[in-house]
Amino acid sequence: MERVPALDEPLKKSLGPATAKVMAEALDLHTVGDLLHHYPRRYAERGELTTLADLPLDEHVTVVARVADARVLTFNGSKGRGQRLEVTITDGSGRLQLVFFGKGVHKPHHDLLPGTRAMFAGKVSLFNRRLQLAHPSYELLRGDGEEPTDRADVWAGALIPIYPATAKLESWKIAKAVDAVLPSAVEALDPLPDALREGRGLAQLPDALRLIHRPRTKADIATARERLKWDEAFVLQVALARRRHADTQLPAVARRPAPDGILDAFDAKLPFTLTDGQRKVSQEIFDDLATEHPMHRLLQGEVGSGKTMVALRAMLAVVDSGGQAAMLAPTEVLAQQHHRSVTEMMGELAEGGMLGGADRATKVVLLTGSMGTAARRQALLDLVTGEAGVVIGTHALIEDKVKFHDLGLVVVDEQHRFGVEQRDALRGKGKQPPHLLVMTATPIPRTVAMTVFGDLETSVLDQLPAGRSPIASHVVPAADKPHFLARAWERVREEVGKGHQAYVVCPRIGDEEDQKKKAKASAEDEAEKRPPLAVLDVAEKLRTGPLAGLRIAVLHGRMHPDDKDDVMRRFAAGELDVLVATTVIEVGVNVPNATAMVIMDADRFGVSQLHQLRGRVGRGSAPGLCLLVSEMPEATPARQRLAAVAATLDGFELSRIDLEQRREGDVLGQAQSGVRSSLRVLAVIDDEEVIAAAREEATALVLADPDLTGHQALRTALDALLDKDREEYLEKG
């Protein structure tokens, strides 16, 4: 029987079934290698107290601190008299209260005497507007002779590793488990080629693993982190370089626009001039389309920077060359919106084969899942015969029965909403691989683009077209200053009074489906936090309260498509004053007369999402107003995030803030299933030099050895990164 490599050993062999089960369920760690790559989040020093000032609300934290005082209080509860132990811990700059109730007070009351140093782990909650840990786990660091001897040498080093932990598995238990498997690190296969490692003076992998878990000095940590960052950056960049290399080997039909074709006719009838940015990016795309291997280009630009115009010109260039172009949108609302705006922009050029259509016209068809049978059959016929040069649709475009006459270009809108399978399924409908343009309105810092979209060339539209108005943004602290919220509704009335319209955005729908999900939420969560505000509830309160008399409608993802389209049409036509909606309006919705947006429970949305939503107002000549309503206290990270959004309209700056503020595990979405181990020490914002250097090294290596025949350990690392569950990683934003 073949011996299992040490790092592939299941954890239950080393740690026992009970601990291994908790590791698997709580942290998704299954093998010795998984645990060795579960690095400490930070390190506490024996002579230094950790900061309590910046503890994040609702997160599970581990702190090292000293007990300042402890007292037992007696209180009268519903079940008679009870006891509560209140312990105050300090780190010299901040203080934090710990509370224990009932029978749970006796042991901590005995252990946690004033002056005692310990590690405490628990979930940070808010009580009487003060942060506290209720019933935290703890591990004494200075015992009174009772500390077990096997723990003493764990903490003998100068630096105490603090691991990403959970309620079921505290940091010190993870440290003990790491000790049990650390000897296996000597068998770690090194993915870095020797020449690269030696040329850049990097530590060997077994040494780096030992130093990251059990450093003696800060220099040890730096040595380990530098090496492990290179592992992550290089393996990922090799995966991307191989993908780019494979794409250059594919054949494609060069698509060059015919002179005096539909593109020239379209440009001639434009009522405005293109921005310099639109011209430059269009030229980059036309150059790519003229080559005989498929274009793979990412077009990123601010909300309203004119991406759709650039994409439409590319699509018309392909139609001119005799091919067809398909645009894939993530929602029916957005697909319908794109179809409307494209046909409006093209006018008679979109009426190919119809009475009144221009000589050089084509057909623009819409294909969505909810279309009637007759309309759907006609759309499918127009695609297979080539009658329709442009098709705009949702996932319905990917279905087997959809056939094209000659698919030359695929445009994917809002790339982060689609996985690799969907993108590839549409690309597979061309006789040869079609050219590909992916668009996103979520600004992406350069390092993230190199890391996540590393298989794509990048174009950036950073100019807003003339005529776009500024958007003023303000935080409305509803709990601290209720009169601010009342004033927000007055501002909405004022905008409507001027003939404008407004959006009110809520995080939840509030229908029966929502009620089912709410029922499943744990009682603990319900007690800690009220459910997010819901569209249906808020709309009703506004109709009968502060916005009574205004024409109010709702829009959310579970409405029938015809009803959604009807509401959007009425709002766009000015027949409604206020639209109360979920984030279904986040992308693509374009109503220039809408000038105000109130986002309820704004702290429940991410920075990029808030920026996207805000981009729905100020799209005409009148200035926009965005009000971010939150009940979170002023000092919380959530409020700081909202203040950052209110302070700048620069999407690239906000995307940087977003990445810096998100917890470890969220960045680049690697908290998604299976991508857990992708980026642990590599920080895409801070490590630009490492990422850029790794990209260069990876490109050179793949050029010399595309199949990696001479790099077996690197192949193994790639297989681990790109197993079945993780393939989407390369395509996700």
Side-chain angles (χ1 to χ4, degrees):
M1 197 171 121
E2 200 176 327
R3 193 178 75 86
V4 177
L7 271 62
D8 293 339
E9 282 280 6
L11 281 173
K12 64 183 171 197
K13 278 190 124 178
S14 316
L15 307 178
T19 306
K21 186 168 185 275
V22 179
M23 289 251 175
E25 289 172 359
L27 295 168
D28 198 19
L29 305 176
H30 304 274
T31 66
V32 168
D34 289 346
L35 180 53
L36 287 175
H37 288 291
H38 186 72
Y39 309 132
R41 188 194 293 275
R42 59 185 177 83
Y43 303 84
E45 293 183 67
R46 272 204 167 293
E48 169 208 303
L49 292 157
T50 48
T51 51
L52 298 178
D54 305 323
L55 288 182
L57 190 61
D58 287 332
E59 283 193 30
H60 202 277
V61 299
T62 304
V63 296
V64 177
R66 188 184 307 282
V67 176
D69 65 69
R71 56 198 179 128
V72 175
L73 305 172
T74 305
F75 63 90
N76 292 317
S78 55
K79 297 179 182 173
R81 288 165 71 77
Q83 286 191 314
R84 181 170 81 241
L85 171 65
E86 291 184 356
V87 178
T88 304
I89 59 173
T90 179
D91 64 352
S93 65
R95 295 166 84 82
L96 180 67
Q97 191 167 64
L98 318 177
V99 288
F100 301 86
F101 296 98
K103 293 177 181 166
V105 307
H106 304 303
K107 187 170 182 343
H109 191 213
H110 170 260
D111 290 342
L112 301 176
L113 303 171
T116 305
R117 267 173 68 77
M119 298 174 83
F120 301 92
K123 192 173 184 183
V124 183
S125 56
L126 203 61
F127 181 71
N128 283 344
R129 301 186 73 77
R130 285 169 60 197
L131 295 179
Q132 69 167 24
L133 297 183
H135 280 282
S137 308
Y138 59 87
E139 173 96 339
L140 301 179
L141 292 181
R142 291 234 171 113
D144 49 8
E146 294 177 26
E147 200 171 341
T149 52
D150 66 326
R151 306 305 298 135
D153 45 347
V154 171
W155 310 118
L159 295 159
I160 302 167
I162 309 290
Y163 286 91
T166 72
K168 292 182 179 173
L169 205 62
E170 296 91 348
S171 173
W172 50 88
K173 289 181 182 166
I174 297 170
K176 193 174 179 184
V178 168
D179 282 340
V181 301
L182 201 51
S184 301
V186 296
E187 295 193 38
L189 287 173
D190 198 327
L192 295 190
D194 291 345
L196 187 160
R197 185 176 51 72
E198 288 161 11
R200 294 190 175 268
L202 299 170
Q204 297 200 359
L205 183 56
D207 293 339
L209 290 171
R210 184 175 49 77
L211 292 175
I212 196 97
H213 289 292
R214 296 295 172 261
R216 290 286 176 181
T217 63
K218 288 183 176 175
D220 285 352
I221 300 169
T223 299
R225 287 178 68 84
E226 186 186 9
R227 162 61 216 242
L228 295 167
K229 279 179 184 182
W230 259 93
D231 277 21
E232 292 179 1
F234 183 69
V235 173
L236 187 53
Q237 291 300 336
V238 167
L240 293 164
R242 291 185 81 198
R243 192 173 182 92
R244 285 196 303 276
H245 184 268
D247 287 339
T248 62
Q249 306 306 301
L250 294 172
V253 178
R255 307 283 179 176
R256 297 181 184 87
D260 297 326
I262 192 167
L263 176 61
D264 285 349
F266 175 75
D267 284 349
K269 69 190 282 297
L270 279 179
F272 53 82
T273 53
L274 298 173
T275 65
D276 292 344
Q278 285 174 319
R279 286 181 197 284
K280 175 175 162 288
V281 169
S282 285
Q283 194 53 54
E284 288 171 355
I285 292 169
F286 292 152
D287 290 346
D288 282 358
L289 290 174
T291 62
E292 292 184 350
H293 59 82
M295 167 174 81
H296 290 91
R297 187 166 285 278
L298 169 70
L299 171 57
Q300 54 168 320
E302 284 285 13
V303 174
S305 59
K307 291 184 303 299
T308 310
M309 171 61 68
V310 169
L312 177 55
R313 293 184 75 236
M315 291 161 85
L316 296 181
V318 169
V319 173
D320 264 349
S321 74
Q324 292 169 290
M327 179 185 271
L328 184 61
T331 65
E332 293 210 352
V333 167
L334 186 52
Q336 288 160 342
Q337 179 88 27
H338 275 320
H339 183 253
R340 262 201 301 278
S341 61
V342 163
T343 48
E344 280 167 17
M345 283 194 281
M346 287 177 65
E348 73 277 9
L349 295 174
E351 295 169 359
M354 289 183 262
L355 207 59
D359 295 341
R360 292 168 295 185
T362 187
K363 238 184 183 181
V364 179
V365 301
L366 176 70
L367 189 65
T368 65
S370 65
M371 284 169 71
T373 312
R376 186 178 175 77
R377 189 178 293 131
Q378 184 59 53
L380 291 172
L381 187 65
D382 288 341
L383 287 180
V384 77
T385 59
E387 188 86 6
V390 175
V391 59
I392 296 166
T394 55
H395 296 77
L397 283 175
I398 295 166
E399 290 170 11
D400 288 346
K401 61 184 77 159
V402 179
K403 300 275 189 283
F404 289 85
H405 176 66
D406 180 15
L407 180 61
L409 171 66
V410 173
V411 179
V412 180
D413 193 19
E414 287 312 315
Q415 158 70 10
H416 62 284
R417 305 286 188 92
F418 294 101
V420 60
E421 293 95 343
Q422 294 155 323
R423 202 171 99 171
D424 283 351
L426 188 50
R427 283 165 66 187
K429 291 185 177 293
K431 291 174 181 142
Q432 285 194 323
H435 299 280
L436 176 73
L437 179 67
V438 297
M439 304 197 295
T440 177
T442 306
I444 304 164
R446 178 171 171 264
T447 45
V448 183
M450 276 197 296
T451 308
V452 185
F453 298 108
D455 60 331
L456 303 173
E457 299 300 325
T458 304
S459 294
V460 179
L461 274 176
D462 48 14
Q463 280 176 291
L464 288 187
R468 287 300 300 265
S469 301
I471 304 168
S473 304
H474 304 282
V475 179
V476 178
D480 304 349
K481 298 175 179 168
H483 60 287
F484 275 39
L485 183 58
R487 176 69 188 124
W489 301 126
E490 284 174 21
R491 285 291 288 113
V492 170
R493 277 193 172 279
E494 287 166 13
E495 289 300 308
V496 172
K498 293 178 195 166
H500 297 307
Q501 292 158 282
Y503 298 100
V504 177
V505 181
C506 305
R508 202 164 58 93
I509 297 172
D511 59 5
E512 286 175 13
E513 286 287 318
D514 265 1
Q515 297 307 323
K516 286 180 204 161
K517 284 183 194 162
K518 190 175 149 193
K520 282 185 189 168
S522 70
E524 181 191 344
D525 287 346
E526 286 298 310
E528 282 183 9
K529 220 186 239 182
R530 65 161 173 75
L533 290 170
V535 166
L536 301 179
D537 303 338
V538 168
E540 193 50 41
K541 283 180 181 149
L542 292 177
R543 279 192 191 105
T544 56
L547 301 185
L550 299 188
R551 298 168 300 173
I552 296 173
V554 301
L555 182 71
H556 60 76
R558 283 202 282 269
M559 287 165 62
H560 188 278
D562 290 348
D563 296 338
K564 278 193 280 199
D565 203 32
D566 181 54
V567 168
M568 273 314 303
R569 277 180 192 283
R570 285 165 57 213
F571 190 66
E575 294 165 19
L576 298 169
D577 300 317
V578 179
L579 190 60
V580 184
T582 57
T583 55
V584 72
I585 63 155
E586 180 186 347
V587 287
V589 174
N590 182 22
V591 180
N593 191 46
T595 55
M597 176 176 284
V598 181
I599 303 180
M600 307 303 292
D601 279 344
D603 48 273
R604 311 261 182 157
F605 300 98
V607 169
S608 294
Q609 199 170 29
L610 290 170
H611 182 58
Q612 286 272 29
L613 286 165
R614 171 171 63 183
R616 299 299 117 215
V617 296
R619 299 177 77 86
S621 53
L625 173 70
C626 180
L627 302 174
L628 306 166
V629 180
S630 172
E631 292 184 1
M632 295 300 280
E634 192 168 0
T636 54
R639 275 285 293 278
Q640 289 163 6
R641 214 167 53 234
L642 296 183
V645 173
T648 180
L649 290 172
D650 182 338
F652 286 93
E653 176 59 24
L654 285 174
S655 67
R656 178 176 281 273
I657 290 167
D658 194 18
L659 281 169
E660 284 170 352
Q661 287 192 345
R662 280 197 247 177
R663 295 197 308 269
E664 171 188 314
D666 288 350
V667 175
L668 301 188
Q670 82 260 36
Q672 297 160 31
S673 156
V675 201
R676 169 190 48 71
S677 63
S678 300
L679 296 185
R680 303 247 179 141
V681 286
L682 189 72
V684 288
I685 288 293
D686 301 329
D687 295 324
E688 182 166 344
E689 283 180 21
V690 174
I691 292 169
R695 184 179 166 111
E696 265 181 47
E697 294 271 12
T699 305
L701 183 138
V702 169
L703 204 58
D705 182 5
D707 296 326
L708 307 182
T709 45
H711 301 90
Q712 194 50 50
L714 177 56
R715 283 189 73 107
T716 306
L718 268 180
D719 291 342
L721 176 72
L722 300 177
D723 66 16
K724 198 161 61 97
D725 291 340
R726 302 181 191 186
E727 280 189 0
E728 288 205 1
Y729 180 77
L730 295 183
E731 308 293 331
K732 287 273 189 194

